[in-house]
Amino acid sequence: MSLKSMMRELKEMKDGIGNISRRGGESKLWRSRTRSHVAPDRPPVESECLEQSPWANLPPELLLDIINRVEESETAWPARAAVVFCAAVCRSWREITKEIVKTPEQCGRLTFPISLKQPGPRESPIQCYIRRDRATSTYLLFYGLVPSEGESDKLLLAARKVRRATCTDFVISLAANDFARASYTYVGKLRSNFLGTKFTVYDSQPPCDSMIPSTTHRRFHSKQVSPRLPACNYSIGTVTYELNVLRTRGPRRMHCILHSIPVSAIQEGGTAPTPLALPQSFDDQLSPIPSSKVNGPLIDTSSPSLAVTPVLSAGSGEPLTLKNKSPRWHEQLQCWCLNFRGRVTVASVKNFQLVAAVEPAHNVSPEEQDKVILQFGKIGKDIFTMDYRYPLSAFQAFAICLSSFDTKPACE
């Protein structure tokens, strides 16, 4: 059997799982989880017929060879959906697929939902773009250089802007039509202060074992929600814009403190926290952590106030800090300029490049200090590019870029 015909059969089997799921009354969950074009960690309903089929009972060596061939041949979307189909066949296929597919840091590709919370590649950045919809206050992150004509680009994440009395929230989800916090697709949020000068990034899961969830006055009872829904927020970083009280002309200055990433991650031989799976149950979110690991107070994200301190272990090290790369003044063009390498075509105060802000004592090489970790800029009406690399994840990069969309009259 050729690889092409095998992929066609796998797609038919995957569609069959979706039909079984719809008959089970879970079509809304299945569609919302596949609409982002990334493989779910597990299908909503295991198909008994598939578990007993010859496909599920293939010898492990043959199955390993098949999935290896698929993973190596389908490296770009939408063709990479074949890897998704392999993971959706049955439990044995899914486990082997998860073992074969490498993290974005290792292979530079995005496949599973957890890939969006894993660090990007160290050398070449992952290139994406953001489409803003002013009418619905939504922001969609797509995988690709620029928008394609067929509107078939791979959706990674979506965010909705929610204005409140004393702050602004950007709720981030895996689906473009489901922004409920009590939903499987919820992955985190970005919250601003009243002036729009300071933002806090919240994750729905801890990026490392040393972080503990925030307390909240709106905590759900475990019997009132699905056991697979996230129920906590973790403060993983802050974005701060310097005040421009005199309203002088020039680019905005910003600093990002990433509490979930130690500065040692960009040192020689350093590594960034890499989660391996999304939360599977409500109880996993609330699992107790020994108090000896805590060196600060709990965070209360139910309050609009941002005067909170992230909770980290004593041995987590100094957090990584990013700063915007200083542009140069172009006399002929009479504007501030940065080298975006062709990825930004429209001048905007929102455009920025972030590099590591380190001290000599951090022992970070000059090459690492010059690397642009996150780049964001405008290419058309309501279209912006977003390129990120290690140690940031797609979720962290998207949250930082969302801060640039909020109104900051005191910063411009």
Side-chain angles (χ1 to χ4, degrees), residues 113 116-117 156-158 171-175 178 180-181 183-189 202-205 230 232-233 236 278 395 398:
L116 303 175
K117 292 194 175 183
L156 299 178
L157 293 168
V171 182
I172 304 175
S173 170
L174 289 171
D178 187 1
R181 180 166 176 252
S183 169
Y184 185 90
T185 61
Y186 174 80
V187 294
K189 69 178 179 181
Y202 294 101
D203 197 338
S204 63
Q205 71 177 108
C232 301
N233 280 322
I236 63 169
L278 294 173
F395 165 71
F398 186 43

Side-chain angles (χ1 to χ4, degrees), residues 122-123 265-268 355-356 358 364-373 389-391:
R122 291 177 180 261
E123 300 304 325
I266 60 173
Q267 296 173 351
E268 185 177 358
V355 296
V358 296
V364 177
S365 66
E367 292 77 12
E368 285 294 331
Q369 296 182 38
D370 293 336
K371 278 186 178 180
V372 176
I373 296 176
R389 69 168 78 224
Y390 176 92

Side-chain angles (χ1 to χ4, degrees), residues 104-105 115-123 207 236 258 260-267 270-275 319-322 354-356 364 368 371-374 388-397 400:
E105 179 184 352
S115 302
L116 303 175
K117 292 194 175 183
Q118 295 174 335
R122 291 177 180 261
E123 300 304 325
I236 63 169
L258 303 171
S260 60
I261 304 176
V263 69
S264 61
I266 60 173
Q267 296 173 351
T271 58
T274 304
L320 176 65
T321 300
L322 305 180
L354 295 184
V355 296
V364 177
E368 285 294 331
K371 278 186 178 180
V372 176
I373 296 176
L374 174 60
Y388 76 97
R389 69 168 78 224
Y390 176 92
L392 287 182
S393 67
F395 165 71
Q396 293 165 336
I400 293 173

Side-chain angles (χ1 to χ4, degrees), residues 178-365:
D178 187 1
F179 297 95
R181 180 166 176 252
S183 169
Y184 185 90
T185 61
Y186 174 80
V187 294
K189 69 178 179 181
L190 177 76
R191 170 169 287 182
S192 75
N193 63 358
F194 178 74
L195 293 177
T197 57
K198 185 177 181 181
F199 298 77
T200 301
V201 182
Y202 294 101
D203 197 338
S204 63
Q205 71 177 108
C208 53
D209 293 337
S210 59
M211 303 189 71
I212 63 177
S214 62
T215 57
T216 173
H217 299 302
R218 292 177 293 182
R219 184 178 298 281
F220 300 100
H221 192 276
S222 59
K223 295 181 179 180
Q224 296 175 335
V225 297
S226 168
R228 299 186 58 190
L229 302 182
C232 301
N233 280 322
Y234 302 79
S235 173
I236 63 169
T238 58
V239 182
T240 305
Y241 291 84
E242 293 187 13
L243 288 172
N244 186 5
V245 180
L246 300 179
R247 306 285 290 175
T248 57
R249 294 184 61 187
R252 295 184 294 190
R253 286 178 288 185
M254 58 189 294
H255 287 82
C256 303
I257 302 178
L258 303 171
H259 305 294
S260 60
I261 304 176
V263 69
S264 61
I266 60 173
Q267 296 173 351
E268 185 177 358
T271 58
T274 304
L276 300 179
L278 294 173
Q280 294 299 326
S281 69
F282 184 86
D283 294 333
D284 290 345
Q285 291 272 347
L286 302 180
S287 58
I289 296 178
S291 57
S292 60
K293 291 186 178 182
V294 178
N295 68 348
L298 285 171
I299 315 164
D300 185 357
T301 60
S302 64
S303 171
S305 173
L306 285 175
V308 296
T309 303
V311 182
L312 296 171
S313 67
S316 61
E318 185 178 349
L320 176 65
T321 300
L322 305 180
K323 64 179 180 179
N324 62 310
K325 191 174 183 179
S326 300
R328 61 179 180 85
W329 178 257
H330 198 291
E331 289 293 342
Q332 293 181 342
L333 298 178
Q334 290 293 297
C335 64
W336 296 96
C337 296
L338 279 172
N339 183 11
F340 288 95
R341 302 185 181 278
R343 289 285 288 155
V344 177
T345 58
V346 179
S348 173
V349 71
K350 294 180 173 62
N351 302 345
F352 66 79
Q353 290 179 330
L354 295 184
V355 296
V358 296
E359 301 293 338
H362 292 144
N363 296 322
V364 177
S365 66

Side-chain angles (χ1 to χ4, degrees), residues 86-151:
C86 289
V89 170
C90 63
R91 185 179 291 106
S92 60
W93 282 63
R94 182 166 56 258
E95 293 303 320
I96 292 182
T97 303
K98 290 168 66 175
E99 292 179 5
I100 292 175
V101 175
K102 297 179 176 62
T103 65
E105 179 184 352
Q106 296 170 319
C107 68
R109 296 188 289 268
L110 302 173
T111 306
F112 297 103
I114 192 60
S115 302
L116 303 175
K117 292 194 175 183
Q118 295 174 335
R122 291 177 180 261
E123 300 304 325
S124 58
I126 291 181
Q127 298 176 317
C128 313
Y129 71 90
I130 299 173
R131 183 187 297 275
R132 174 175 59 181
D133 189 332
R134 296 176 183 267
T136 59
S137 297
T138 56
Y139 305 82
L140 304 180
L141 176 66
F142 292 94
Y143 193 12
L145 296 175
V146 292
S148 63
E149 296 180 358
E151 297 291 334

